[in-house]
């Protein structure tokens, strides 16, 4: 079931639609691949440039890179973590912020933390319990944030029981 939320980014109004399981066509623009990354103790990994505004690890696909390769590279670069398993959750279609709509892809990932050595734009890493998800992410308490959290926790449960998600 798709969900819609209105948003504002840098003063511009936009519309975000959560599309569970939707994979954009090759002709459609994907600007971001992010992971709702869980540690072995079921904590959710967040990253930040300034220690105040938190986000999921992720970023823009590079030339000839698959979405899963983008996920693995971005989680390693931003969060100093290795993606061990993953599952595609769906796409957010973003309209109104740019002349053409674009997509942001979301994955569940099980990760192994490595020593944190800040690089690139990330200066802070935090692992929070599911209850803190909505408090730390500006969009985490919204309908899309909560749906994403539920889907990721379901993927984690399936993976823990030996069912489902892919592995690296």
């Amino acid at each position: 079931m798709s969900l819609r939320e209105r948003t504002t980014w840098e003063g511009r109004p936009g519309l975000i639609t959560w599309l569970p399981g939707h994979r954009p066509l090759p002709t459609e623009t994907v600007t971001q691949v992010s992971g709702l990354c869980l540690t072995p103790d079921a904590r959710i990994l967040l990253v930040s440039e300034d220690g105040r505004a938190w986000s999921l690890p992720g970023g823009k696909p590079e030339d000839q890179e698959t979405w899963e390769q983008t996920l693995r590279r971005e989680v390693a670069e931003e969060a100093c973590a290795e993606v061990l398993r993953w599952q595609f959750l769906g796409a957010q279609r973003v309209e109104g912020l740019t002349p053409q709509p674009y997509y942001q892809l979301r994955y569940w990932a099980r990760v192994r933390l490595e020593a944190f050595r800040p690089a690139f734009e990330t200066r802070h890493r935090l692992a929070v319990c599911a209850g803190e998800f909505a408090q730390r992410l500006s969009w985490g308490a919204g309908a899309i944030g909560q749906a994403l959290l539920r889907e990721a926790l379901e993927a984690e449960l399936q993976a823990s029981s030996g069912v489902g998600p892919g592995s690296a």
Side-chain angles (χ1 to χ4, degrees):
M1 173 176 83
S2 66
L3 298 171
R4 290 181 171 222
E5 289 182 357
R6 298 239 171 247
T7 189
T8 303
W9 183 258
E10 297 178 349
R12 296 184 314 266
L15 178 66
I16 299 174
T17 304
W18 171 240
L19 303 165
H22 178 76
R23 292 182 179 272
L25 299 171
T27 57
E28 295 174 309
T29 302
V30 173
T31 63
Q32 184 185 75
V33 177
S34 296
L36 205 147
C37 301
L38 277 79
T39 63
D41 62 350
R43 297 179 71 78
I44 301 164
L45 200 55
L46 303 176
V47 294
S48 174
E49 291 181 27
D50 60 11
R52 292 185 309 274
W54 296 91
S55 65
L56 300 174
K60 186 173 178 64
E62 294 182 354
D63 291 338
Q64 307 302 315
E65 196 173 50
T66 68
W67 297 332
E68 289 80 12
Q69 289 168 334
T70 300
L71 175 70
R72 294 178 70 179
R73 177 182 52 78
E74 288 288 344
V75 169
E77 289 176 359
E78 292 189 355
C80 298
E82 179 186 4
V83 173
L84 303 173
R85 299 180 78 171
W86 67 87
Q87 178 178 315
F88 182 74
L89 298 177
Q92 291 182 165
R93 180 181 164 95
V94 181
E95 300 170 81
L97 301 181
T98 59
Q100 297 297 319
Y102 59 89
Y103 291 87
Q104 299 173 327
L105 307 185
R106 301 293 183 248
Y107 282 78
W108 160 85
R110 168 93 51 80
V111 298
R112 182 182 71 220
L113 298 179
E114 298 172 351
F116 187 62
R117 293 186 174 88
F120 303 96
E121 66 276 5
T122 300
R123 295 285 171 242
H124 304 273
R125 175 179 81 181
L126 184 64
V128 300
C129 65
E132 288 182 75
F133 181 82
Q135 297 167 5
R136 295 287 183 166
L137 293 172
S138 61
W139 51 270
I144 292 174
Q146 289 299 295
L148 178 60
L149 178 61
R150 281 190 306 275
E151 290 181 40
L153 293 175
E154 178 61 31
E156 176 67 18
L157 184 61
Q158 289 176 1
S160 296
S161 67
V163 177
S167 60

